[in-house]
Amino acid sequence: MAEPSLEATGLTKSYGTFTAVSNLNLKIEGRKCVGFLGPNGAGKTTTMKMFTGLISPTQGRALVNGVDVRADKKKALASCATLIETPEIYPALTPRSALMMLSELRGVPKEERMKRIDEALGKVKMQEWEDKKVGSFSKGMKQRVNVASTLLSDPAVIILDEPSTGLDPRGMSEVRDIVKSLGNRLVFMSSHLLGEVTDVCEEVAMIDHGKLLVYDSIDNVTAKFAGDGGAAEIGFSRDADDSVVARVSKLDGLEKAVRTDPRHVTVRFKGGLPTQERLFSQLAGMNVGVVSFRETSTGLEDAYLKLIKETL
Amino acid sequence: MSSIAADGLDVRVSTFSQVQTVAKYSFQNYFRARRFYAMLVIVALIGGLLTFAFAYFRPAGIVQGPALGFYGAGWGSFVTLIAILSAALFGGDAISSEFQNRTGYFLVPNPVRRSAIYVGKWIAALAASVIILVLYAGIVLLNGLYYFPGNVPVQFGESIVFAFVFIVAALAFMFAFSALFKSAAISIMMGVILLLIVFNVIDTVATVLAKIEPWYSITYADGIIANVLMNPFPAHFTPASGKFGIPTYVATIPEGLTIMAVYFVVTAIVGLWLFEKKEFTS
Ligand SMILES: Nc1ncnc2c1ncn2[C@@H]1O[C@H](COP(=O)(O)OP(=O)(O)OP(=O)(O)O)[C@@H](O)[C@H]1O
Ligand SMILES: [Mg+2]
């Protein structure tokens, strides 16, 4: 059985003299989730549009499951569901009829359609609205239907461009759960939520100024670029006075301790998880009123900030 | 491809059935939208005013016979306008709206050819327009049967067929426009202005100044819809008479049908090509 795949070879998109995506070479293969990261304007959406036939490459090729999208979009996307930016649905259709249209186009067997649509609408919590016209929906409600639209068939590949755009906090966490539950397929998802990506993806590709910076597992990217530094915020049950801050800052491996407000101290440390573990237990043993210990930077965030310069 | 699907639910769907799907749901979208009802109201207004005017003023030349004259006045005078308005409202932004309203982002990134989307939407627009034309034909026919019971001239049927051919061509023309522009308002306006005004002006100017037959013009061709209801069918060419007279050309039926068929084929090809090329940027 062939593995699902996405492949870009020399993929380039220019608008006049401006190059939005520049000679991108990337091959993703297998059943896993790959996060697609990069600052605003990096070229993530542009890349995904070339993978879904919304725009044509200036140069190079985008292949889905081994088929060139430009040469034969129908074949390339036969087993690929997509959600690019924030699509609009024909305003006079209901979620149910819009999803029925896609089920028919995608070839979901007739007897499966109703069940699949019910399930998909259930997953995005839109059953209550299934027979109302989409035209009157809020942005987030529409996006929920868009997310549901990727769950109708059983595609081997799913391309998601910032799927939680416009969703409320619960919606974001629901999308996270949905993506996690997709399993057994190749999910390629762009996102600015590094926590979300760390949570649901095994690998990341980072892009900046249209150029691919790195494609590797999150563990490798973190190990290679994040260093072993970490940061945490310590919460106290009572005001932490100078002597407490001084005692904390003397702990082994600590680089810096700064009181951010009377009951919170932010610390930076070296030595990765082993240091973090030791710090945590030492703080608890100090009996100075420590009630919380919250990691404030993840490895992926550190790596991202190191790799992506502050230019736009 | 099914070998690669997670559990094989994605199967290849024939382009033909995808065209049907797009047509079905686009039609639903038309049918439940305000514009369709606006067209129904326009037709009801025109039909209602005509019915009232015939009944109230009883214009002798129209309601006392011959029947052909009645159908010429009731149907021939208005059907082209109604057809152009339907073509503009149902076709004028059919493709541009996919870009401007971002509905294309829902439909296009699927395993379906763009041409299937284009053709499906065109069929839906044709169905909506035909409903409008049939409604108007019904109003005229009811009036006609009232004044001329049992006497429906065969030319009325011919004129309906010509109107259908015209709407087929006019929609293809409008679709090409809607594939050319990104703004819905601009493509609708351009289409209406061209079909209602510009072509007519060019036709006249060409006839008067250059003395050539406007065989390139769809509004020249659509003259057959009204002219078939004239008795006799107007002469193909009438030279200028008197000092201020102007020469006129009238399309013959084969000519009119040919021009409309050519319009359909050429604008369909151009529109499909434009849509294939067009990019979903912004
Ligand atoms: N039609 C266009 N004409 C000119 N430039 C464009 C066009 N579309 C996109 N761009 C440029 O291409 C670059 C990449 O845009 P893209 O939308 O791919 O970024 P992105 O990584 O998705 O950003 P974001 O995180 O904000 O969504 C941007 O600099 C953008 O200005
Ligand atoms: Mg983007």
Side-chain angles (χ1 to χ4, degrees):
Chain A
M1 189 160 160
E3 284 293 302
S5 69
L6 286 171
E7 185 176 1
T9 55
L11 194 62
T12 301
K13 182 69 190 181
S14 307
Y15 293 105
T17 55
F18 178 78
T19 306
V21 172
S22 168
N23 191 27
L24 186 77
N25 290 292
L26 175 66
K27 175 151 193 180
I28 302 172
E29 201 169 15
R31 294 162 197 278
K32 58 196 171 191
C33 175
V34 180
F36 196 25
L37 306 179
N40 295 129
K44 302 181 295 297
T45 299
T46 306
T47 303
M48 290 177 146
K49 280 180 178 174
M50 289 189 275
F51 271 114
T52 53
L54 286 167
I55 60 177
S56 297
T58 313
Q59 256 165 35
R61 304 200 302 162
L63 297 95
V64 177
N65 291 329
V67 182
D68 187 337
V69 178
R70 184 177 7 199
D72 191 347
K73 182 186 80 169
K74 189 178 172 192
K75 189 172 173 197
L77 299 186
S79 191
C80 174
T82 63
L83 171 47
I84 306 296
E85 291 194 319
T86 47
E88 290 287 331
I89 300 165
Y90 290 150
L93 296 187
T94 64
R96 179 168 286 286
S97 52
L99 296 182
M100 192 53 98
M101 172 173 78
L102 286 199
S103 309
E104 289 177 24
L105 287 179
R106 302 197 59 91
V108 178
K110 205 167 185 159
E111 60 283 1
E112 290 262 352
R113 286 176 198 154
M114 280 299 191
K115 192 182 103 219
R116 295 232 143 214
I117 291 171
D118 285 340
E119 278 173 15
L121 285 170
K123 277 193 182 162
V124 298
K125 308 276 182 322
M126 286 295 289
Q127 303 109 308
E128 219 183 296
W129 302 91
E130 63 184 28
D131 292 320
K132 301 272 188 308
K133 285 188 191 175
V134 175
S136 60
F137 286 7
S138 75
K139 217 168 45 186
M141 290 161 77
K142 289 178 191 164
Q143 189 68 352
R144 283 171 185 257
V145 181
N146 289 330
V147 171
S149 79
T150 62
L151 309 173
L152 296 171
S153 53
D154 251 316
V157 177
I158 303 186
I159 297 176
L160 302 169
D161 184 17
E162 295 187 45
S164 37
T165 303
L167 297 187
D168 56 37
R170 185 183 291 277
M172 287 193 192
S173 119
E174 282 161 8
V175 163
R176 198 175 301 191
D177 291 340
I178 289 172
V179 176
K180 267 193 203 164
S181 73
L182 288 173
N184 200 30
R185 49 191 110 225
L186 172 54
V187 179
F188 187 45
M189 175 178 76
S190 81
S191 176
H192 291 299
L193 308 172
L194 299 180
E196 176 177 272
V197 170
T198 313
D199 193 19
V200 303
C201 295
E202 293 92 61
E203 299 180 344
V204 284
M206 283 193 204
I207 183 176
D208 193 11
H209 290 100
K211 295 203 173 70
L212 188 70
L213 300 176
V214 64
Y215 166 53
D216 208 336
S217 69
I218 293 184
D219 290 343
N220 285 348
V221 170
T222 310
K224 234 195 267 172
F225 299 102
D228 59 356
E233 186 188 65
I234 303 160
F236 294 85
S237 62
R238 48 188 183 266
D239 290 1
D241 57 26
D242 289 348
S243 69
V244 171
V245 179
R247 275 182 70 193
V248 170
S249 64
K250 284 202 190 85
L251 291 171
D252 227 19
L254 252 183
E255 291 186 312
K256 205 157 94 179
V258 179
R259 189 166 45 207
T260 47
D261 68 61
R263 294 193 179 186
H264 289 97
V265 173
T266 300
V267 295
R268 286 203 70 86
F269 55 86
K270 254 198 148 83
L273 283 178
T275 308
Q276 187 172 333
E277 184 183 349
R278 187 171 41 72
L279 276 178
F280 185 52
S281 74
Q282 285 178 339
L283 281 165
M286 280 167 71
N287 284 324
V288 288
V290 172
V291 288
S292 70
F293 183 91
R294 190 169 62 87
E295 209 180 2
T296 52
S297 104
T298 65
L300 186 57
E301 189 177 341
D302 277 352
Y304 178 94
L305 293 173
K306 282 232 174 76
L307 274 163
I308 285 158
K309 307 288 175 284
E310 286 171 36
T311 54
L312 205 76
Chain B
M1 274 296 91
S2 54
S3 66
I4 216 156
D7 67 4
L9 267 183
D10 283 87
V11 292
R12 292 272 212 100
V13 186
S14 77
T15 294
F16 179 73
S17 75
Q18 289 180 326
V19 167
Q20 286 180 308
T21 299
V22 173
K24 181 165 88 190
Y25 291 94
S26 309
F27 182 75
Q28 271 188 27
N29 188 47
Y30 280 130
F31 199 70
R32 295 186 195 150
R34 228 175 281 144
R35 250 181 235 184
F36 185 76
Y37 295 96
M39 264 322 287
L40 287 183
V41 169
I42 291 175
V43 166
L45 272 178
I46 296 179
L49 280 174
L50 272 184
T51 307
F52 171 77
F54 289 161
Y56 190 78
F57 298 109
R58 302 237 158 207
I62 293 175
V63 301
Q64 280 162 26
L68 199 57
F70 169 84
Y71 286 97
W75 169 262
S77 317
F78 295 98
V79 64
T80 312
L81 175 68
I82 291 173
I84 289 176
L85 287 180
S86 326
L89 285 184
F90 301 136
D93 66 346
I95 301 302
S96 53
S97 66
E98 295 287 341
F99 294 82
Q100 198 186 17
N101 303 339
R102 301 174 65 80
T103 48
Y105 285 78
F106 189 74
L107 200 51
V108 171
N110 280 292
V112 53
R113 285 183 224 293
R114 286 194 185 192
S115 51
I117 295 174
Y118 192 94
V119 174
K121 293 199 75 167
W122 183 85
I123 291 172
L126 181 65
S129 306
V130 164
I131 290 178
I132 299 294
L133 287 184
V134 164
L135 177 71
Y136 188 63
I139 295 174
V140 172
L141 185 64
L142 284 180
N143 273 288
L145 288 175
Y146 175 76
Y147 296 108
F148 306 97
N151 178 9
V152 182
V154 66
Q155 289 94 325
F156 179 49
E158 289 175 345
S159 184
I160 290 177
V161 172
F162 297 163
F164 176 75
V165 175
F166 174 64
I167 196 75
V168 164
L171 273 174
F173 181 83
M174 283 290 183
F175 263 63
F177 260 87
S178 78
L180 182 61
F181 295 105
K182 277 204 176 168
S183 147
I186 291 180
S187 56
I188 292 184
M189 288 296 293
M190 287 294 292
V192 173
I193 291 174
L194 271 175
L195 286 183
L196 278 184
I197 305 169
V198 176
F199 271 119
N200 280 317
V201 172
I202 296 177
D203 294 356
T204 312
V205 169
T207 314
V208 175
L209 297 182
K211 309 215 167 20
I212 49 167
E213 183 186 356
W215 47 264
Y216 48 81
S217 164
I218 189 171
T219 55
Y220 176 61
D222 74 31
I224 63 172
I225 300 170
N227 290 335
V228 73
L229 296 166
M230 306 249 242
N231 191 15
F233 195 94
H236 178 56
F237 177 67
T238 316
S241 63
K243 207 171 165 194
F244 299 105
I246 51 169
T248 51
Y249 282 99
V250 169
T252 64
I253 289 172
E255 223 182 359
L257 290 176
T258 308
I259 295 171
M260 293 197 263
V262 170
Y263 259 82
F264 169 70
V265 172
V266 171
T267 55
I269 292 171
V270 170
L272 277 165
W273 179 80
L274 286 170
F275 184 43
E276 286 291 345
K277 292 269 160 245
K278 204 159 165 170
E279 305 225 302
F280 284 86
T281 52
S282 87

